[in-house]
Amino acid sequence: MLNCGGGAVPPLRARSWESHLHNDRDPLLSQRFALILLLGVLVGIGAGTVAALGDADPAMAVLTGASACGAGIIFFNATIA
């Protein structure tokens, strides 16, 4: 123990990295958010695939899928209560 003037100060302990891990009892995502995200990603994959099969440039197909994914997430967030 170190003596700093008036009182004894206990030595600092190194914090274990395990103390910062997520608690297993708390879900990282709620079921509602996981469902909304899944449906949005599926919509994006479908739209990107249809765009790629429709002779679009690969970059345009990715942009189409990404924008459809975003729109799907917004739609399903408003739809699913």
Side-chain angles (χ1 to χ4, degrees), residues 3-73:
N3 191 353
C4 294
V9 178
L12 294 176
R13 294 174 125 189
R15 294 180 105 186
S16 173
W17 61 271
E18 294 172 350
S19 65
H20 297 291
L21 291 179
H22 185 71
N23 190 353
D24 289 336
R25 291 177 290 235
D26 297 333
L28 185 61
L29 300 174
S30 67
Q31 288 181 351
R32 178 181 178 271
F33 183 71
L35 178 66
I36 290 169
L37 191 62
L38 173 69
L39 291 174
V41 167
L42 289 176
V43 166
I45 290 173
T49 303
V50 168
L53 292 176
D55 293 332
D57 294 332
M60 185 58 97
V62 169
L63 289 175
T64 302
S67 61
C69 177
I73 289 173

